[in-house]
Amino acid sequence: INDPRVDKTRIEADKGPLLEGLCSWVLDDPSFLKWWQVDSPSHLWICGNAGKGKTMIMLSLISEITKRLQACPGSGVLSYFFCESSFQSLNNAKAVLKGLIYLLAISEAPLLHTLQKIHKNAGARDNLFDGPNALYALINILKQLLQQSSQPRVYLLIDGLDECESGLEDILREAFQPSTGSKSIVKWLVTSRNESYIKEIYNTEYHLCISLEENSNYVTQAVNVFIESKASYLAEMKIYSPDLQNVVRGSLIEKAEGTFLWVALVCKQLKTLLNWQVIKFLSDTPAGLDKFYDRMFKKLQDNDARNIDLYQRILCTLVLGLRPLHLKELQLLIDFAEVESENLTSFRALVEACGSFITSRDDVVYFVHKSAKD
């Protein structure tokens, strides 16, 4: 079972420290206020296109709700989960339910005792968590824990619901229905892209919605704060002149189109450039994620035509992979046989050249974002 708290720490490390107040507008949104203050509706869906900051919003909400519950002991309990399509342990309904159940169980001693009793009664021969009936067993366990919780409210948050690649319909049908028979008021909050199959579920009287596209002014303001932070960081690290820093800031604001991910990816490229290369790079960089990815791929072709076949094989292999691959696995799969392949130096350089699309941690390679894989 993945501990969602550890996943949260990893995601925060990848994205960098959250800026104070970056997503505070969500807390004042009428739909969020109704979800927080009133017993019903019990579900809130925050939806938006790729790179609009949904995970940053979720990180902020987890932090804010945790503070509120700590400030008022006995007012409720929080459990959450981050779906990520790149990881088999994070991209399916069973993993989501296990994560939610885990955090609930460790938050209340009686619930942990109940879970241990359920597992013991199932017996060693009945693989409760991984057998053919595991999904429905986990749904029933979650419902049982919710019924037995002593807290007046239980907050269940799921980020990236569209990245749950198996069992999602069962969760939507079984677990996300208005709660009945529970002593606690169960409040669900999920984020996802604007997928039609999720929209169909949330288009009822039981659900509230915050669309990031419909709140583009707030999103743009938050992205501009993000840009200011990134531009200041680059100016300090790369020793930009005040004029160059202003050019960077202005260009990012002009082309960001309210997309955090675009800003993050462009700034990642800027970190690798010499100062005299910055203005031309920004001039050549198009607005929008799709055009940005297209530009970066063409740049690979133009700058290093000799290795473009290797780049394509690397990216295609990662697209087809069921999970992120270690550098050694990837090297074997694309049949890269350099003399110095044992120390991975040459191959690591090839992978790093595809940095607009992929990244690595501890020599495990994965896509920078689901949109890059798409």
Side-chain angles (χ1 to χ4, degrees), residues 84-371:
E84 292 185 73
S85 60
S86 296
F87 298 92
Q88 281 185 297
S89 59
L90 300 173
N91 69 0
N92 60 86
K94 288 190 292 186
V96 174
L97 293 166
K98 288 177 184 179
L100 294 176
I101 288 168
Y102 175 79
L103 288 187
L104 280 178
I106 64 173
S107 67
E108 292 187 61
L111 298 186
L112 181 58
H113 177 71
T114 296
L115 183 59
Q116 291 171 332
K117 185 177 180 181
I118 291 171
H119 190 265
K120 182 179 179 181
N121 290 342
R125 288 176 297 177
D126 186 359
N127 198 344
L128 184 64
F129 297 127
D130 293 300
N133 298 319
L135 179 61
Y136 301 100
L138 289 165
I139 289 173
N140 289 334
I141 291 170
L142 178 61
K143 289 180 175 180
Q144 190 170 340
L145 296 186
L146 293 175
Q147 290 170 357
Q148 295 185 9
S149 175
S150 62
Q151 297 292 330
R153 284 195 176 193
V154 178
Y155 298 94
L156 301 177
L157 279 57
I158 304 175
D159 181 61
L161 192 63
D162 55 296
E163 299 197 36
C164 180
E165 297 185 344
S166 66
L168 176 58
E169 290 185 3
D170 294 299
I171 289 190
L172 291 172
R173 184 178 63 251
E174 299 289 342
F176 287 9
Q177 297 306 310
S179 57
T180 57
S182 174
K183 294 183 293 184
S184 305
I185 295 170
V186 182
K187 306 290 277 186
W188 292 87
L189 189 155
V190 304
T191 69
S192 81
R193 295 196 202 184
N194 296 298
E195 300 290 358
S196 58
Y197 59 90
I198 298 178
K199 186 175 182 178
E200 288 175 4
I201 296 294
Y202 277 90
N203 190 25
T204 75
E205 63 182 296
Y206 300 111
H207 306 115
L208 298 163
C209 176
I210 298 176
S211 166
L212 300 185
E213 280 67 44
E214 292 178 8
N215 289 275
S216 59
N217 289 341
Y218 291 116
V219 175
T220 298
Q221 290 172 19
V223 170
N224 289 345
V225 172
F226 185 61
I227 288 171
E228 185 64 45
S229 172
K230 287 290 187 181
S232 297
Y233 170 76
L234 285 168
E236 182 177 351
M237 183 184 75
K238 305 289 289 186
I239 317 179
Y240 288 169
S241 68
D243 286 344
L244 184 56
Q245 182 178 349
N246 287 335
V247 169
V248 170
R249 182 192 299 109
S251 182
L252 293 177
I253 289 174
E254 179 185 353
K255 296 183 177 182
E257 296 184 348
T259 305
F260 286 94
L261 180 59
W262 184 93
V263 175
L265 292 174
V266 171
C267 289
K268 181 181 177 181
Q269 291 289 316
L270 289 172
K271 286 172 63 176
T272 69
L273 301 178
L274 299 174
N275 289 8
W276 62 269
Q277 298 173 311
V278 167
I279 292 178
K280 185 176 189 311
F281 169 79
L282 290 172
S283 176
D284 292 343
T285 299
L289 276 179
D290 289 341
K291 291 180 180 178
F292 175 80
Y293 288 137
D294 186 54
R295 165 69 180 165
M296 290 301 101
F297 192 74
K298 287 180 179 177
K299 186 178 178 182
L300 275 178
Q301 293 175 304
D302 295 340
N303 291 356
D304 198 356
R306 293 172 302 172
N307 290 323
I308 191 62
D309 178 63
L310 287 170
Y311 297 144
Q312 288 178 322
R313 281 154 57 191
I314 288 170
L315 294 173
C316 288
T317 302
L318 290 170
V319 165
L320 294 171
L322 288 175
R323 58 168 173 79
L325 298 169
H326 191 278
L327 277 173
K328 290 183 178 179
E329 295 175 312
L330 186 56
Q331 179 180 251
L332 179 66
L333 287 167
I334 73 161
D335 194 24
F336 179 78
E338 278 285 308
V339 175
E340 298 180 358
S341 62
E342 284 300 313
N343 63 21
L344 296 175
T345 302
S346 299
F347 189 63
R348 186 180 285 108
L350 281 172
V351 171
E352 289 174 352
C354 303
S356 297
F357 300 94
I358 57 179
T359 187
S360 64
R361 187 191 307 109
D362 299 326
D363 281 346
V364 175
V365 187
Y366 52 97
F367 283 95
V368 295
H369 192 265
K370 188 175 184 293
S371 62

Side-chain angles (χ1 to χ4, degrees), residues 40-55:
S40 181
S42 56
H43 294 63
L44 174 61
W45 178 36
I46 300 178
C47 57
N49 294 329
K52 291 296 183 180
K54 297 182 291 295
T55 296

